[in-house]
């Protein structure tokens, strides 16, 4: 506890930024559905780990995670570098029926996420809670967080609708107001994982 209260003891990486409101909500869904029971988010600094999953995890990557999702069991692959590996449509189909993507997968399907709607009313409290924990959102940001959340959800949905298979799924399931469904927030979170470090590398290369 004493070291937690001393800011100089908390490692930071310049390119690591707080989650967007939609990503934060998606992270809560990830925890709610128990995804951490089968997927870790901690790539150890060993060759067999980095060759399979990518660059090893840095402490500063988790500075805004409350709580962190390191995990210790891998029924499924580590997800620390999942962001950007697959398109949004891949995650949309994978979460609906994993065996469509990976033959013989034992991962359960999550069809209810395609019908349950996000609770925009809660995001102000979530952002405020993160601010209390030291996450550096701008002062007053909690008041406009829902607007940003809806905009990102709309952008992801627009991207999804470019995929013919996704359009067929939406029609088959009669999914209304896609951009308001919880699956969109989960996709936003999964697509964020590990990308801050990649962004840092991109900046350095320029």
């Amino acid at each position: 506890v004493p070291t937690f209260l001393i800011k100089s003891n908390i490692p930071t990486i310049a390119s690591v930024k707080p989650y967007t409101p939609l990503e934060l909500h998606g992270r809560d869904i990830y925890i709610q559905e128990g995804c951490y029971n089968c997927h870790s988010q901690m790539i150890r600094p060993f060759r067999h780990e980095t060759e399979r999953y990518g660059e090893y995890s840095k402490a500063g990557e988790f500075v805004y995670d409350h709580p962190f999702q390191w995990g210790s069991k891998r029924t499924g692959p580590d997800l620390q570098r999942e962001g950007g590996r697959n398109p949004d449509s891949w995650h949309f189909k994978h979460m609906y029926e994993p065996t469509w993507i990976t033959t013989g997968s034992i991962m359960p399907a999550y069809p209810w996420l395609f019908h349950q709607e996000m609770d925009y009313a809660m995001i102000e409290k979530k952002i405020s809670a993160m601010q209390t924990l030291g996450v550096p959102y701008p002062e007053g940001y909690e008041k406009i967080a829902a607007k940003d959340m809806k905009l990102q959800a709309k952008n992801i949905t627009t991207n999804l609708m470019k995929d013919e298979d996704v359009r067929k799924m939406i029609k088959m399931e009669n999914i209304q107001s896609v951009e308001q469904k919880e699956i969109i927030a989960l996709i936003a979170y999964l697509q964020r994982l590990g990308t801050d470090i990649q962004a840092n590398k991109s900046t350095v290369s320029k």
Side-chain angles (χ1 to χ4, degrees):
V1 173
T3 56
F4 177 79
L5 299 175
I6 302 173
K7 191 173 182 179
S8 61
N9 285 330
I10 302 174
T12 57
I13 300 174
S15 60
V16 175
K17 307 298 181 185
Y19 292 113
T20 66
L22 187 65
E23 292 162 358
L24 185 65
H25 185 61
R27 184 177 181 278
D28 285 346
I29 294 171
Y30 180 94
I31 295 171
Q32 168 189 299
E33 298 298 340
C35 301
Y36 56 86
N37 287 313
C38 293
H39 296 281
S40 61
Q41 289 183 32
M42 169 57 78
I43 303 171
R44 281 69 170 178
F46 302 112
R47 183 176 178 180
H48 66 277
E49 292 258 322
T50 57
E51 286 192 353
R52 182 177 182 184
Y53 299 119
E55 187 173 356
Y56 68 87
S57 302
K58 314 295 190 302
E61 292 184 75
F62 306 98
V63 69
Y64 303 133
D65 272 293
H66 301 289
F68 55 77
Q69 298 298 300
W70 293 350
S72 60
K73 189 175 186 297
R74 289 180 184 157
T75 301
D78 187 277
L79 298 180
Q80 177 59 20
R81 303 288 173 221
E82 182 60 32
R85 283 192 172 185
N86 298 292
D88 294 343
S89 57
W90 186 96
H91 290 288
F92 192 88
K93 289 177 276 191
H94 184 245
M95 296 303 297
Y96 184 82
E97 179 47 73
T99 57
W100 287 358
I101 302 297
T102 306
T103 303
S105 174
I106 62 171
M107 176 175 160
Y110 294 86
W112 54 87
L113 298 181
F114 296 76
H115 296 282
Q116 293 177 174
E117 296 195 350
M118 293 182 275
D119 186 356
Y120 291 105
M122 283 296 295
I123 196 60
E124 181 175 338
K125 292 181 179 179
K126 289 182 180 182
I127 294 294
S128 295
M130 291 298 106
Q131 288 172 320
T132 300
L133 292 171
V135 179
Y137 289 107
E139 185 177 350
Y141 181 66
E142 67 278 6
K143 300 296 183 183
I144 62 171
K147 181 179 179 181
D148 282 358
M149 187 175 173
K150 292 177 182 178
L151 179 60
Q152 186 177 7
K154 184 177 181 180
N155 290 338
I156 291 175
T157 303
T158 299
N159 189 38
L160 284 171
M161 295 303 289
K162 297 175 183 177
D163 187 284
E164 184 178 356
D165 290 335
V166 169
R167 294 197 301 271
K168 289 179 179 178
M169 286 175 59
I170 291 172
K171 185 177 181 180
M172 177 182 68
E173 282 290 314
N174 191 28
I175 303 172
Q176 303 295 320
S177 303
V178 180
E179 68 274 9
Q180 296 181 23
K181 306 307 181 189
E182 289 189 335
I183 183 61
I184 302 300
L186 183 58
I187 290 173
Y189 173 65
L190 292 172
Q191 292 289 44
R192 174 65 184 275
L193 294 177
T195 58
D196 287 333
I197 293 298
Q198 294 170 15
N200 188 43
K201 283 188 170 183
S202 176
T203 301
V204 172
S205 66
K206 290 180 181 179

